[in-house]
């Protein structure tokens, strides 16, 4: 199973990344993910379920220890092509049938 996690840590600081954001970034960058996208307003990682779940545990612990007052995250099951899985684990097909 593959998972995608989108997360943010708070409080925000637009001048420089706070310690909790740096801690979260370090965790996901060293967790053996297939995809890591770190941004100022949100972060996304994707990989094998075992790696992602381990990283989520470490991310929560380290960012809270570093001063985060809130960690928001969303976990989605994805297929091998990066699409969200639908009911029963099948890849969800967009309403437009996937046309681009």
């Amino acid at each position: 199973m593959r998972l995608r996690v989108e997360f943010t840590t708070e409080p925000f600081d637009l001048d420089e990344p706070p310690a909790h954001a740096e801690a979260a970034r370090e965790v996901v960058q060293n967790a053996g993910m297939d995809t890591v996208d770190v941004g100022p307003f949100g972060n996304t990682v994707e990989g094998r379920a075992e790696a992602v779940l381990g990283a989520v545990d470490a991310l929560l612990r380290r960012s809270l220890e570093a001063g985060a007052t809130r960690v928001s995250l969303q976990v989605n099951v994805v297929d091998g092509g990066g699409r969200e899985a639908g009911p029963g684990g099948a890849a969800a097909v967009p309403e437009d049938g996937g046309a681009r």
Side-chain angles (χ1 to χ4, degrees), residues 92-99:
V93 178
E95 289 183 19
D96 66 359

Side-chain angles (χ1 to χ4, degrees), residues 9 16-30 38 62-63 66:
T9 60
E16 62 184 66
H20 57 80
E22 294 286 347
R25 178 181 300 144
E26 182 180 325
V27 166
V28 297
Q29 288 178 331
N30 294 314
V38 177
R62 298 258 327 268
S63 59

Side-chain angles (χ1 to χ4, degrees), residues 21-98:
E22 294 286 347
R25 178 181 300 144
E26 182 180 325
V27 166
V28 297
Q29 288 178 331
N30 294 314
M33 299 292 166
D34 297 334
T35 304
V36 176
D37 182 20
V38 177
F41 300 109
N43 310 283
T44 303
V45 298
E46 188 175 311
R48 294 180 337 277
E50 183 176 304
V52 171
L53 294 173
V56 166
D57 177 60
L59 169 113
L60 291 170
R61 292 175 189 276
R62 298 258 327 268
S63 59
L64 292 169
E65 289 169 358
T69 57
R70 177 190 294 234
V71 179
S72 301
L73 59 91
Q74 178 175 315
V75 179
N76 293 303
V77 176
V78 295
D79 70 2
R83 295 174 299 187
E84 289 184 25
V93 178
E95 289 183 19
D96 66 359

